[in-house]
Amino acid sequence: KKGLIIDKFKLLEFGIYMPQVPYAIPFNDRIRIYFGARNGVVENNIVHHCMSPIAISAGIYVDGGTGIRISNNRIYQNGSGISLGGEINTTNYIGADTVYGNLIYNNSIGGIYLGTGISNTVRVLEDVYVWNNTFYRNRTGEKINGVDSIDTFRLPDFADNYSGEIMLSNTKNLSLRNNIIYPLAGKIGVTALWYFKTEGLTSNNNLFFHDDARPLISIGDSVISFNGSTTANGNYGTTGDLALYRSITGLEILSDFRNPNFAAGSWNMTLTGTSLALNMGGPYNSAFCGPKDFAGNNRMVGIAVDAGAYEYQGSVVVGASELTLHKDWLVYPVPAQNEITLTPPDNYDEVMIWVTDMVGRQHVSQKHIAVAGQSITLPLQHLPSGTYVLSIQHEKTLQQYRVVLIAK
């Protein structure tokens, strides 16, 4: 009803599935939240097979809501996974939403759409936090429920031209952090759409990967402005190297490009003890990371959160005698007894290396000038067997690993 305010609602633990439907049904978003809805929770739902031939249908769709939390949902084989924005022209504030702990994968058009569209010329989507989600191999372009096109566009064409794992259009003060972003081969991870504006974006501590040389990030040729720049347009990260993107935008400084090494099994996105997503998240904030991961386990284990929807609960078990860290530092032997050796891949003017226990007490701290290929030795003979956090900091990069470091 127009003008109706719905405050403090909850949608919890539903299994939502849309079977094959006649083409007369226009939208088919399965969890749909409109203007007037605020301070709600959409949590622990399974949403799949929601598809429309008229528009991009989302598994979870928020059109003008405010203060909505979308957390720990499994969302797959829809038009898109989640859509947050506002299609109706209004002077009302749109935003203050939080999206964390979701598994968003195998959707036909894209992972998550963030922002207002062409139909809304008044407001933008503001103050949204998208933290600790796993975006995995969306943009499939596959037929769902018999639908193989949207309007006159074939699904593969639509997925290739209007989408990404994360898609931005008319956003302000959006925060992307601690996510795993792993697009399909031939697809793009993060897309800023042309003719729109992205303002005040912060993005860091994300783990990117892809299986080919397509760009990880694309800023459309006709983007009005991207974080105040009108010249940042282009494609970045074709080889996994985000250095140019970092230098132009100041974003993704602590993000990385590495295979997250998910556990074996179809669409299994849990982390293993050797996953490179471990401990690469930024400072823990329960409001944006969530107190629990997708599996219901504690989100904070050790001194840093993991990237993605899952938090690894155990120690890192290394079966080999050496460990190659996700910036190509070589560490051996692992586990160690009396000392451990680190070999840097590059030259660094100053490197800080320290070892802390699982409650944060520091036991080893060293500063070095690092030379590529020359070993650095840390003494460990004074420490008992156990799991420790090995931290390496150089330039603007901080790497932390929770490992079974010592076994005597």
Side-chain angles (χ1 to χ4, degrees):
K1 180 178 178 181
K2 186 175 181 181
L4 178 66
I5 300 296
I6 301 175
D7 198 357
K8 297 181 180 179
F9 65 89
K10 292 185 178 182
L11 295 170
L12 309 176
E13 299 182 359
F14 283 89
I16 300 174
Y17 163 62
M18 189 66 185
Q20 186 161 335
V21 295
Y23 273 34
I25 297 179
F27 298 111
N28 290 339
D29 306 298
R30 289 301 90 200
I31 296 180
R32 198 168 219 213
I33 299 166
Y34 278 112
F35 282 90
R38 64 190 186 193
N39 303 322
V41 177
V42 181
E43 186 171 70
N44 295 334
N45 301 287
I46 301 174
V47 189
H48 60 104
H49 287 88
C50 307
M51 194 65 186
S52 167
I54 307 300
I56 300 175
S57 51
I60 298 174
Y61 176 63
V62 180
D63 183 3
T66 58
I68 311 299
R69 171 160 62 86
I70 301 173
S71 53
N72 296 12
N73 300 281
R74 182 184 293 272
I75 310 164
Y76 64 97
Q77 286 199 297
N78 306 286
S80 65
I82 296 174
S83 181
L84 281 178
E87 295 186 41
I88 302 172
N89 273 313
T90 177
T91 57
N92 295 331
Y93 175 84
I94 304 170
D97 306 314
T98 306
V99 181
Y100 66 70
N102 299 283
L103 296 178
I104 304 168
Y105 62 98
N106 199 28
N107 292 286
S108 184
I109 305 301
I112 186 169
Y113 284 72
L114 297 162
T116 57
I118 295 173
S119 58
N120 189 335
T121 59
V122 179
R123 297 295 307 197
V124 300
L125 180 69
E126 301 183 52
D127 308 319
V128 172
Y129 293 83
V130 180
W131 288 31
N132 281 104
N133 302 279
T134 298
F135 299 96
Y136 185 51
R137 292 183 170 175
N138 294 288
R139 298 182 69 183
T140 65
E142 292 181 356
K143 178 168 64 176
I144 297 174
N145 296 349
V147 176
D148 59 7
S149 62
I150 296 177
D151 198 6
T152 59
F153 290 92
R154 294 174 59 252
L155 291 183
D157 298 334
F158 213 109
D160 284 344
N161 290 285
Y162 299 98
S163 192
E165 294 293 318
I166 300 173
M167 192 170 76
L168 311 176
S169 62
N170 283 348
T171 63
K172 181 178 181 180
N173 300 335
L174 170 67
S175 176
L176 304 175
R177 196 158 196 157
N178 308 342
N179 300 289
I180 293 177
I181 304 168
Y182 190 151
L184 273 168
K187 311 300 180 182
I188 296 174
V190 179
T191 302
L193 273 183
W194 51 88
Y195 303 119
F196 295 104
K197 184 177 182 180
T198 298
E199 180 182 356
L201 174 67
T202 59
S203 192
N204 213 350
N205 298 94
N206 298 299
L207 181 59
F208 291 88
F209 193 66
H210 57 193
D211 296 317
D212 62 0
R214 287 282 286 171
L216 292 171
I217 300 170
S218 178
I219 302 175
D221 290 339
S222 300
V223 166
I224 296 172
S225 68
F226 186 85
N227 273 16
S229 172
T230 57
T231 59
N233 315 82
N235 296 321
Y236 302 93
T238 54
T239 62
D241 185 358
L242 294 172
L244 179 61
Y245 182 75
R246 290 180 180 125
S247 67
I248 291 174
T249 66
L251 303 175
E252 311 296 355
I253 299 299
L254 298 179
S255 296
D256 204 354
F257 173 81
R258 286 285 177 154
N259 191 328
N261 293 331
F262 293 135
S266 179
W267 302 112
N268 183 356
M269 288 153 275
T270 57
L271 305 179
T272 66
T274 58
S275 173
L276 298 170
L278 303 189
N279 291 316
M280 73 165 294
Y284 174 63
N285 186 316
S286 62
F288 306 135
C289 301
K292 302 290 183 181
D293 72 351
F294 179 82
N297 297 315
N298 288 335
R299 168 50 75 182
M300 183 65 178
V301 178
I303 64 171
V305 298
D306 300 339
Y310 286 103
E311 183 79 11
Y312 183 68
Q313 300 296 303
S315 300
V316 177
V317 179
V318 181
S321 60
E322 63 183 30
L323 174 66
T324 302
L325 304 184
H326 76 281
K327 288 287 186 181
D328 295 326
W329 284 72
L330 183 65
V331 178
Y332 62 92
V334 179
Q337 290 188 334
N338 296 316
E339 65 181 25
I340 196 164
T341 300
L342 300 88
T343 304
D346 295 305
N347 298 331
Y348 301 107
D349 292 337
E350 183 176 288
V351 174
M352 288 296 301
I353 303 171
W354 64 97
V355 175
T356 53
D357 60 27
M358 298 309 293
V359 296
R361 293 174 298 201
Q362 187 177 101
H363 296 281
V364 178
S365 177
Q366 293 188 2
K367 182 189 293 186
H368 293 270
I369 297 173
V371 178
Q374 292 190 10
S375 298
I376 298 169
T377 300
L378 299 183
L380 302 174
Q381 66 270 17
H382 61 294
L383 297 177
S385 299
T387 300
Y388 294 83
V389 176
L390 172 65
S391 301
I392 304 171
Q393 185 170 24
H394 56 84
E395 298 172 346
K396 295 182 179 180
T397 298
L398 173 63
Q399 304 157 235
Q400 295 177 313
Y401 309 90
R402 186 171 67 247
V403 296
V404 181
L405 196 61
I406 305 172
K408 297 181 179 180

